[in-house]
């Protein structure tokens, strides 16, 4: 969460105040300014923040183990239990491979959706 907040803060700092002021001058309400001006400008940064935060947390082993006390079955905890406690290296390797493929697929899907939405926004302008 702290890294996501810092990244979102940096994204918001890059949006010029003049854009918001221009929207207000033309009579847009604050909600319309946010949804029609600020959010489209910040979309790439929001997507990047989400992906970086997701990638950092999907492999978070220590926090899930400490906070869940070993009872919360996340993929990293399950992989550790299979390898260390169960001596099933093949199963642990298979789970790690599945997790890697899923994370890679989610990143590719998010990148394609982001590029598709930016292409659509560029064509409508």
């Amino acid at each position: 969460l702290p890294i996501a907040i810092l990244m979102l803060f940096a994204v918001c700092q890059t949006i010029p105040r003049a854009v918001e002021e221009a929207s207000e001058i033309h009579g847009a309400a604050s909600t319309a300014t946010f949804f029609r001006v600020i959010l489209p400008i910040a979309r790439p940064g929001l997507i990047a923040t989400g992906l970086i935060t997701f990638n950092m947390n999907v492999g978070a082993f220590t926090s899930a183990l400490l906070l869940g006390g070993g009872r919360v079955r996340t993929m990293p905890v399950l992989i550790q239990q299979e390898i260390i406690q169960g001596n099933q290296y093949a199963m642990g390797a298979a789970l790690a491979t599945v997790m890697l493929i899923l994370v890679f697929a989610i990143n590719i899907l998010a990148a394609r959706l982001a590029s598709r939405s930016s292409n659509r926004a560029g064509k409508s302008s």
Side-chain angles (χ1 to χ4, degrees), residues 22-108:
S23 175
E24 291 173 7
I25 287 171
H26 290 293
S30 60
T31 55
T33 299
F34 178 75
F35 286 110
R36 292 183 168 253
V37 177
I38 303 300
L39 204 56
I41 293 173
R43 183 177 293 142
L46 293 171
I47 292 170
T49 299
L51 283 176
I52 290 172
T53 305
F54 170 74
N55 289 331
M56 289 178 63
N57 287 314
V58 77
F61 167 74
T62 312
S63 58
L65 191 63
L66 290 176
L67 292 174
R71 295 183 305 274
V72 177
R73 292 275 176 126
T74 60
M75 282 292 276
V77 172
L78 184 62
I79 292 168
Q80 184 264 349
Q81 287 176 350
E82 289 295 325
I83 293 174
I84 302 299
Q85 295 172 357
N87 277 340
Q88 295 183 5
Y89 293 99
M91 183 63 164
L95 288 171
T97 303
V98 167
M99 186 173 88
L100 178 70
I101 291 169
L102 284 173
V103 169
F104 188 68
I106 289 170
N107 279 282
I108 295 294

Side-chain angles (χ1 to χ4, degrees), residues 1-15 42-57:
L1 187 64
I3 290 177
I5 291 171
L6 286 173
M7 290 178 67
L8 289 175
F9 180 72
V11 167
C12 290
Q13 292 286 38
T14 62
I15 300 172
R43 183 177 293 142
L46 293 171
I47 292 170
T49 299
L51 283 176
I52 290 172
T53 305
F54 170 74
N55 289 331
M56 289 178 63
N57 287 314

